[in-house]
Amino acid sequence: MDTRICVTVLPLCPQLIDGFVLFSSRFSLLLLDLEEYYFEQHTAYNVTRSSTTQPRFEKVRGSLKICSKSVIFEPEPLSEPILKIPLRDCQKIEGVEENDLNTVDEQFIAFFCVPPEKDAFCCLASDENLCFQLHRASCLDKLGDQTAMMVFFFFFLFFLNSFQSVSEKLHMECEAEMVSPLVTNPGHVCITDQNLYFQPLNGHPVPSVTTPPPIRPYGLEVFCSENDLCSDIYLKFYNTKDRDELYYYIATFLENHMAEHTAESYMLQWQRGHISNYQYLLHLNNLADRSCNDLSQYPVFPWVIADYTSAELDFRNPASFRDLSKPVGALNPERLERLLARYRDMPEPKFMYGSHYSSPGYVLFYLVRVAPEYMLCLQNGRYDHADRMFNSVAETWKNCLEGATDFKELIPEFYGNDTSFLENSLNLNLGKRQGGRTVGDVALPPWASDATDFLQKSQKALESQFVSQHLHEWIDLVFGYKQRGSEAIAAHNVFHPVTYEGSIDCDSIEDPDQKIAVLTQILEFGQTPKQLFTTPHPQRITPRFQSMTRTPSQNTSFNELSPGTDSSFEDLTEESRRLAWSNMGKLKLVASHKLHKEAITGIAVTRNGASVFTTSQDSTLKMFSKESGSLQRSMSFSNMALSSCLILPEDATVVCSSWDNNVYFYSIAYGRRQDTIMGHDDAVSKMCWRDNQLYTASWDSTVKVWRCVPADIMNKRSQFQLLAELEHDAGVNTIVLNHAGTLLASGTKEGVVSMWNTGSFVLLQQVPCHSGKVHDLAFSPDSRHVLSAGEDSCLRVLDVQTGMVLSTVATEEPQRCFCWDGDTVLSGTVSGELLVWDLMAGKVTHRIPAHTGPLTAMWMNEQCSSIITGGEDKQVIFWKTQF
């Protein structure tokens, strides 16, 4: 029996005609081979001849799909199978009489058959258009898929009548591919002032896809909701120019566009508890190019629970949780030893694990109950063996611990709210296991009453204190510095070379067959996420957290440096400060006084707030009465500028630093200079005082630490002993102590920020932070972070434990000085404005006119309700927060 298909051609571009497909289509792009593209469709008949001696034909109406490597016939009757015909086997048939097809009423155009003697389809066409389409597809098949698709674009234009409104203005269009699981579909991207459109060149599954204005672009993905797991559209471009231009138009013309976030900015939000562990992992996956539309790079989440046998899950027991400092393959010591023995004897390139923790097979292992079509596509039309299916959570975890080749992690669905991937609600025939049991719903641990309870407890585990304390260790393995190189080897975290980004340049492979073979290998192995961090990831700040485990050796003393500060930002006694900071944008100008002849350089206030002391480049120290609003004293110690001032705890002495290399002590009670320290070889730029110790920074590249020995019978004056000299590579422009006085941060003229242990005077971190001088520094209230403002018009947040730059905020102009509560920043600009910053969002929330020139000094009281600023306009301005 022969199979023959007669094709009737409808009007050109049939994919754009509404109602063309009159039957429920079974065709899917999953039927295509890897790197194969679907172009267009035509109405056709499958004609079968029952006898060669008596030519009698039976016809079946359907749709003929022309693709880059095959033609596919989809019959209308659901009982008839879909036929796929490789283009290489399509041949013209000579000698076919038109009356052979006398039962076909429609216009005869083309003819396909399968001769009994060989398994090949042949083609005979009389219509010029279809002949051209088939001939062109056959030629394109020989060019290679990318070239074929680009040639086809020559015949394809975006239809502007697809716009939702006639008032929309076209800004840009280009070629791209829309990516979905196991499929890429070429077409045109079009951006207007109202919508983003994608029009598949084949019109499948719909003539065009419309996406409302996105609020968040992640590379090639567009998310229309902040916390969506899956994007609304995932586009693959053919060159970076088109991608960047599209991003520019989205950022420029769409009203709801938000500021772009980096891994470091999300890290800061996560550290401070502004986003959950789940949200942070989603953001990291997105930034590492992981997408739910790409099964080879599906978002990866960790196993966090280790107990799947108990009747109750004890969240207070560390044994209930997985060790997040190790990859899955290293959790079982016995299996790890076998893997290491093989690794040591392996030739280069070596790898410890022959399979990956995330691959299309593993993703579909978990999702087979909700996406069976993808499993069937990947498994050549069959489900996996019933005993290898996702039958039980406990069995899967056990196999990940004991299996010779099973090292898979989890997917986000395990920490979501949709239970469908755990339930066989589609009543799929997934086979029977040994023993005769039918594969149905996933067996859950004893501690879960149902699938909803399982997900809720999994979510609770992911957000638990134990996981919050250790999640950074898993991030180091998957997204961080332990992903590659010597750190990966030491952490037993080495996978097959083909899984790492950049290991193979597929674009350089010219042979289409070889390219497909490489892509298939990558698809099967899975891919390691893009590396986001190259230094150790800092730990999360958690309430009531008293100890830090597995910290790097150079930071072992960090626990001692900030005792009792871990939960200060959540302390209820801080409510008044929070209230003041929440109203910082409502600052009220109370008074303004011109006290000096040159720029203000320092402000200090007595504890009762009655007296205000200011220093200036005019070399004077002035005492101002806040109560009477009058200048009370003016003192001069040097003919050079004074750079800063502070008041010692008893409110009896004011200390001033000077450009003449000296530090001066002024007695408020006696109204005269009582001491001088001549301790530097260049100008003294800034000072700090804590626990009877004075810290002086100088442009001679040192910070010196002096111990004050109180006066006694033998010594009528206090004595200052030099305790330490902290060397720098450039002049030190500013210093600051944390609240406890256990950490010192210094900033140099060359933009380097250093952090020191004030107990041992050991350098903890040294971070090249700015391209110009560091203007000002501040610790967060919990001493975990340092904020720096630089001459390069940037605000940067550094992690004290790791030295990592967590966040960078570009400013319109340099910020000369600031105050910071850990989240919100009040800064003074070169133009004289006061700016209130939402540091997490990286944007200015309020602008307050203040000085007529650069704002050079700022003081804030302990309650954060009173602020004093000074500027180059010689003005000292008093402010109050309004509630």
Side-chain angles (χ1 to χ4, degrees):
M1 178 183 294
D2 290 353
T3 300
R4 304 186 177 195
I5 301 176
C6 178
V7 179
T8 301
V9 178
L10 293 182
L12 287 175
C13 298
Q15 66 274 15
L16 300 178
I17 299 177
D18 292 337
F20 172 72
V21 180
L22 301 178
F23 57 95
S24 178
S25 179
R26 291 178 288 159
F27 173 75
S28 167
L29 296 178
L30 293 170
L31 295 172
L32 274 58
D33 293 339
L34 184 65
E35 294 285 289
E36 182 177 10
Y37 297 96
Y38 163 46
F39 295 141
E40 60 187 18
Q41 65 179 348
H42 298 272
T43 296
Y45 284 91
N46 178 6
V47 182
T48 57
R49 184 170 57 192
S50 58
S51 172
T52 56
T53 57
Q54 298 182 1
R56 183 169 55 84
F57 294 91
E58 297 178 358
K59 63 177 182 178
V60 177
R61 179 184 167 95
S63 173
L64 185 70
K65 323 284 184 180
I66 299 179
C67 308
S68 64
K69 293 185 178 184
S70 63
V71 290
I72 297 175
F73 178 71
E74 178 189 9
E76 289 185 13
L78 297 180
S79 59
E80 296 290 331
I82 294 176
L83 304 176
K84 184 172 182 179
I85 310 160
L87 281 178
R88 64 177 179 271
D89 294 335
C90 291
Q91 303 173 11
K92 184 175 181 180
I93 302 177
E94 305 289 351
V96 178
E97 299 294 335
E98 189 169 339
N99 58 12
D100 286 346
L101 303 172
N102 51 15
T103 60
V104 179
D105 298 329
E106 284 79 0
Q107 176 190 5
F108 164 67
I109 297 302
F111 186 77
F112 293 85
C113 75
V114 183
E117 66 274 9
K118 66 175 183 176
D119 185 18
F121 286 87
C122 302
C123 168
L124 173 67
S126 60
D127 177 80
E128 292 183 2
N129 179 56
L130 182 59
C131 285
F132 173 69
Q133 305 294 347
L134 294 171
H135 175 70
R136 181 176 66 186
S138 180
C139 292
L140 294 180
D141 182 38
K142 299 178 177 67
L143 292 176
D145 302 295
Q146 184 108 348
T147 306
M149 187 270 305
M150 294 303 292
V151 170
F152 201 87
F153 270 128
F154 178 78
F155 303 92
F156 179 71
L157 294 174
F158 189 88
F159 282 76
L160 299 183
N161 59 5
S162 298
F163 287 174
Q164 290 191 343
S165 170
V166 294
S167 64
E168 291 187 53
K169 296 179 181 179
L170 175 65
H171 290 301
M172 172 203 171
E173 65 171 303
C174 65
E175 296 84 15
E177 295 177 4
M178 186 167 69
V179 180
S180 56
L182 301 180
V183 168
T184 56
N185 198 11
H188 265 234
V189 171
C190 180
I191 184 75
T192 73
D193 55 351
Q194 298 181 30
N195 287 293
L196 173 67
Y197 295 90
F198 177 79
Q199 179 179 306
L201 68 83
N202 49 42
H204 184 85
V206 291
S208 66
V209 177
T210 305
T211 302
I215 66 169
R216 190 166 221 87
Y218 285 105
L220 304 177
E221 286 194 277
V222 178
F223 292 79
C224 291
S225 179
E226 172 74 15
N227 293 314
D228 277 358
L229 174 59
C230 293
S231 60
D232 288 71
I233 188 170
Y234 182 12
L235 299 173
K236 173 185 173 183
F237 293 84
Y238 301 111
N239 59 72
T240 56
K241 178 179 178 294
D242 287 342
R243 180 201 62 191
D244 295 343
E245 189 174 353
L246 179 67
Y247 178 82
Y248 166 77
Y249 280 117
I250 291 176
T252 304
F253 292 101
L254 298 183
E255 295 178 357
N256 294 328
H257 178 70
M258 292 177 63
E260 185 176 0
H261 286 278
T262 63
E264 288 76 17
S265 65
Y266 281 126
M267 180 199 297
L268 181 61
Q269 294 184 50
W270 171 76
Q271 262 201 298
R272 307 199 66 79
H274 291 270
I275 58 176
S276 66
N277 292 339
Y278 176 82
Q279 290 172 316
Y280 185 46
L281 290 175
L282 271 188
H283 289 315
L284 291 184
N285 274 283
N286 284 322
L287 291 171
D289 298 333
R290 312 293 288 189
S291 169
C292 292
N293 290 303
D294 186 349
L295 296 182
S296 66
Q297 298 191 81
Y298 203 81
V300 55
F301 270 59
W303 289 93
V304 298
I305 299 173
D307 180 5
Y308 294 98
T309 58
S310 300
E312 296 290 335
L313 185 59
D314 186 359
F315 291 100
R316 295 169 299 180
N317 184 2
S320 299
F321 297 94
R322 167 253 182 108
D323 185 349
L324 290 166
S325 68
K326 300 176 181 178
V328 170
L331 292 175
N332 183 335
E334 295 179 2
R335 179 180 62 177
L336 177 62
E337 189 53 45
R338 293 194 297 269
L339 292 169
L340 290 176
R342 187 190 67 173
Y343 173 78
R344 287 188 284 266
D345 295 336
M346 187 181 294
E348 295 292 343
K350 295 183 176 184
F351 56 89
M352 296 179 187
Y353 311 113
S355 62
H356 204 253
Y357 50 78
S358 177
S359 69
Y362 288 160
V363 173
L364 295 179
F365 169 83
Y366 292 126
L367 296 180
V368 63
R369 289 168 176 81
V370 290
E373 67 274 19
Y374 299 139
M375 172 70 83
L376 293 174
C377 176
L378 207 63
Q379 297 270 124
N380 296 318
R382 297 180 177 85
Y383 294 119
D384 202 353
H385 190 280
D387 286 306
R388 290 195 295 266
M389 299 286 276
F390 181 31
N391 295 301
S392 163
V393 177
E395 287 180 8
T396 301
W397 170 245
K398 181 180 179 181
N399 199 56
C400 287
L401 291 180
E402 300 176 358
T405 60
D406 193 350
F407 315 109
K408 59 178 171 284
E409 293 279 7
L410 297 182
I411 55 177
E413 283 78 358
F414 276 82
Y415 304 103
N417 297 312
D418 186 358
T419 63
S420 58
F421 78 102
L422 298 169
E423 301 166 338
N424 189 15
S425 56
L426 299 177
N427 295 318
L428 302 172
N429 182 9
L430 301 176
K432 291 186 177 182
R433 305 184 65 183
Q434 291 182 1
R437 282 183 298 161
T438 301
V439 176
D441 296 344
V442 177
L444 302 174
W447 45 258
S449 58
D450 54 28
T452 300
D453 185 49
F454 172 75
L455 292 186
Q456 289 175 347
K457 288 177 178 173
S458 296
Q459 293 168 11
K460 184 177 179 181
L462 181 63
E463 305 301 333
S464 67
Q465 185 165 335
F466 181 91
V467 174
S468 295
Q469 293 171 12
H470 298 283
L471 187 59
H472 66 287
E473 298 172 320
W474 184 84
I475 293 171
D476 283 336
L477 296 169
V478 176
F479 301 103
Y481 81 112
K482 291 183 179 180
Q483 185 193 94
R484 301 183 181 215
S486 59
E487 293 289 349
I489 295 173
H492 305 135
N493 194 40
V494 183
F495 293 86
H496 195 283
V498 78
T499 67
Y500 292 95
E501 183 185 43
S503 61
I504 297 177
D505 183 9
C506 293
D507 293 333
S508 65
I509 303 175
E510 297 181 356
D511 185 343
D513 293 333
Q514 183 182 358
K515 181 178 180 180
I516 290 175
V518 171
L519 289 173
T520 301
Q521 185 182 23
I522 294 174
L523 188 69
E524 290 177 353
F525 266 101
Q527 296 183 56
T528 300
K530 182 171 72 175
Q531 190 174 25
L532 300 178
F533 309 106
T534 55
T535 56
H537 192 288
Q539 193 174 33
R540 192 176 196 185
I541 304 167
T542 56
R544 299 175 305 281
F545 179 43
Q546 299 301 324
S547 63
M548 299 177 62
T549 58
R550 302 189 184 94
T551 54
S553 58
Q554 65 267 29
N555 294 330
T556 53
S557 62
F558 186 81
N559 296 334
E560 304 167 7
L561 302 181
S562 54
T565 63
D566 297 307
S567 60
S568 62
F569 72 97
E570 293 187 352
D571 194 340
L572 293 177
T573 62
E574 299 294 319
E575 187 60 34
S576 61
R577 295 180 186 176
R578 288 202 191 92
L579 184 60
W581 274 102
S582 66
N583 290 276
M584 199 57 68
K586 303 176 183 177
L587 281 182
K588 178 183 178 182
L589 192 153
V590 177
S592 178
H593 301 278
K594 187 174 181 179
L595 302 180
H596 290 272
K597 297 178 181 179
E598 299 292 341
I600 311 299
T601 58
I603 302 171
V605 182
T606 56
R607 283 184 297 177
N608 60 11
S611 298
V612 178
F613 291 86
T614 57
T615 52
S616 168
Q617 289 183 5
D618 64 9
S619 74
T620 63
L621 168 69
K622 298 204 174 184
M623 179 178 174
F624 180 83
S625 172
K626 194 173 179 183
E627 184 177 351
S628 64
S630 61
L631 181 65
Q632 293 184 321
R633 300 181 192 176
S634 180
M635 294 72 66
S636 180
F637 309 119
S638 168
N639 59 357
M640 298 187 71
L642 299 181
S643 56
S644 68
C645 62
L646 58 85
I647 297 179
L648 299 188
E650 297 80 11
D651 279 354
T653 305
V654 179
V655 187
C656 304
S657 59
S658 173
W659 284 6
D660 67 2
N661 310 351
N662 296 330
V663 176
Y664 299 98
F665 293 78
Y666 173 79
S667 170
I668 299 175
Y670 294 101
R672 60 181 173 81
R673 185 181 71 187
Q674 65 183 29
D675 254 319
T676 302
I677 295 180
M678 296 178 285
H680 287 279
D681 298 324
D682 205 337
V684 182
S685 55
K686 196 70 178 288
M687 302 176 299
C688 295
W689 177 277
R690 180 75 184 191
D691 296 335
N692 238 29
Q693 290 184 177
L694 178 68
Y695 299 79
T696 58
S698 172
W699 294 346
D700 66 5
S701 303
T702 67
V703 172
K704 292 187 178 181
V705 187
W706 310 84
R707 180 173 177 269
C708 178
V709 180
D712 54 24
I713 298 176
M714 298 296 295
N715 299 298
K716 294 183 179 181
R717 292 185 179 182
S718 298
Q719 301 295 312
F720 288 89
Q721 298 175 350
L722 181 62
L723 293 182
E725 187 170 334
L726 311 181
E727 297 286 347
H728 295 69
D729 295 328
V732 183
N733 201 52
T734 184
I735 55 173
V736 67
L737 286 165
N738 71 333
H739 180 71
T742 54
L743 293 169
L744 175 78
S746 57
T748 71
K749 287 185 173 183
E750 293 183 351
V752 176
V753 175
S754 301
M755 285 162 271
W756 307 80
N757 179 342
T758 59
S760 61
F761 304 117
V762 170
L763 177 64
L764 299 175
Q765 306 292 344
Q766 192 171 53
V767 186
C769 200
H770 297 278
S771 57
K773 71 172 66 171
V774 180
H775 282 311
D776 202 3
L777 294 166
F779 279 93
S780 59
D782 53 37
S783 302
R784 297 296 184 119
H785 302 129
V786 170
L787 177 64
S788 67
E791 194 176 31
D792 57 358
S793 300
C794 283
L795 293 172
R796 287 193 166 90
V797 180
L798 288 76
D799 182 76
V800 174
Q801 181 188 0
T802 64
M804 181 183 292
V805 177
L806 301 180
S807 177
T808 298
V809 178
T811 62
E812 295 175 356
E813 56 184 332
Q815 311 297 299
R816 292 284 293 272
C817 53
F818 63 85
C819 294
W820 182 39
D821 76 334
D823 294 320
T824 307
V825 179
L826 177 68
S827 66
T829 69
V830 169
S831 63
E833 282 186 307
L834 280 172
L835 303 182
V836 180
W837 293 83
D838 180 347
L839 202 59
M840 299 300 174
K843 63 181 181 181
V844 175
T845 59
H846 296 88
R847 292 179 178 269
I848 305 168
H851 294 264
T852 57
L855 203 154
T856 55
M858 185 182 298
W859 173 90
M860 180 181 287
N861 69 344
E862 190 175 352
Q863 292 73 34
C864 308
S865 58
S866 179
I867 295 97
I868 304 174
T869 60
E872 285 190 9
D873 60 0
K874 307 146 194 174
Q875 295 285 337
V876 176
I877 302 179
F878 296 79
W879 309 83
K880 279 283 188 183
T881 54
Q882 299 183 86
F883 301 103

